[in-house]
Amino acid sequence: MDYYGSHINRLIEELQSLPGIGAKTAQRLAFHIINMPPEQVKSLAASMTDARANANYCRECYTLTDEELCPICKSAKRNHRQIMVVETSRDLAAYERTGRYEGVYHVLRGVIAAMRGVGPNDIKLKELMARLQAADGSLLCDEVIVATSSSLEGETTAMYILKLIRTLGMELKVTRIAQGVPVGGDIENTDEVTLERALLGRTEM
Ligand code: ZN
């Protein structure tokens, strides 16, 4: 159905390849872009290229950032001995929106999912363990809050983390967020009040 011509069609197709964008939305966005002042279009395109070129992962917590250390890891106001383990940077953002968490994070960048062939070595677990204990065995942290989702994969990952910490003989507090987060529901889309409640109601694993 080539009634727009190849340039416009290409834009529609590119937009449609983005998550959550269907054919109608892609068309609406494309028309919006076409009607924008050329300078604004240039700026939009440049912002995409720039963000992509500068995107990096924090060397401490592995969240998406464009600096070597993310602003949270860099902050002296945060409690660096309390580490909340989340699946993605979007989950981190969701907890930050509650404004009630003062510790730092560790972003696994995934969950253990045997069905999809994702094993413990495919997510940032080794990196988490390295943050908990110094080479001489002294603990670098007081509490690990496991905030993976309550899906089967999230639970499997949570149990694996606990097992790993205990196997390594670390005597630190490991807590799990309360089940306020809907089963299988993603943390990113959970409202702040529910997340805050889940955080405050966490229990020891
Ligand atoms: Zn960080």
Side-chain angles (χ1 to χ4, degrees):
M1 284 187 290
D2 189 12
Y3 29 77
Y4 297 130
S6 60
H7 295 286
I8 296 174
N9 270 337
R10 184 182 158 205
L11 176 59
I12 296 173
E13 274 165 27
E14 294 277 2
L15 290 168
Q16 211 179 321
S17 71
L18 299 171
I21 309 276
K24 272 190 193 162
T25 309
Q27 197 169 300
R28 193 157 45 83
L29 287 172
F31 286 168
H32 180 82
I33 292 168
I34 290 162
N35 286 305
M36 272 160 55
E39 277 315 303
Q40 210 183 329
V41 177
K42 215 182 244 175
S43 161
L44 172 66
S47 73
M48 287 193 240
T49 318
D50 272 9
R52 180 62 188 87
N54 292 299
N56 223 324
Y57 293 101
C58 171
R59 69 171 151 81
E60 188 82 11
C61 74
Y62 294 92
T63 197
L64 201 57
T65 176
D66 50 22
E67 292 163 79
E68 213 186 317
L69 262 187
C70 75
I72 297 171
C73 287
K74 227 186 270 178
S75 170
K77 290 192 186 117
R78 310 294 293 232
N79 176 2
H80 290 260
R81 295 188 67 90
Q82 189 178 42
I83 299 178
M84 188 195 288
V85 182
V86 293
E87 294 176 18
T88 66
S89 292
R90 282 167 299 155
D91 292 349
L92 176 155
Y95 277 103
E96 279 302 284
R97 279 197 296 273
T98 69
R100 291 297 298 271
Y101 179 62
E102 282 162 0
V104 294
Y105 296 88
H106 186 86
V107 181
L108 292 173
R109 292 176 45 199
V111 270
I112 299 171
M115 301 281 276
R116 287 185 282 119
V118 185
N121 290 328
D122 300 316
I123 59 174
K124 298 290 172 195
L125 270 178
K126 275 196 310 285
E127 292 78 358
L128 170 64
M129 294 306 138
R131 290 179 68 186
L132 306 181
Q133 201 170 31
D136 66 1
S138 60
L139 291 176
L140 299 170
C141 143
D142 300 320
E143 181 183 3
V144 172
I145 303 170
V146 185
T148 51
S149 72
S150 54
S151 65
L152 179 62
E153 293 169 350
E155 290 296 348
T156 307
T157 308
M159 291 317 294
Y160 193 89
I161 291 170
L162 178 68
K163 205 178 78 185
L164 213 51
I165 289 173
R166 294 296 173 241
T167 309
L168 293 170
M170 292 183 218
E171 290 295 326
L172 58 87
K173 191 172 167 188
V174 183
T175 56
R176 181 89 174 100
I177 50 162
Q179 298 302 313
V181 180
V183 176
D186 49 327
I187 289 169
E188 186 197 350
N189 294 318
T190 308
D191 67 278
E192 280 104 86
V193 177
T194 307
L195 284 184
E196 191 183 325
R197 216 182 292 144
L199 178 61
L200 294 175
R202 66 187 184 273
T203 48
E204 224 164 304
M205 287 181 78

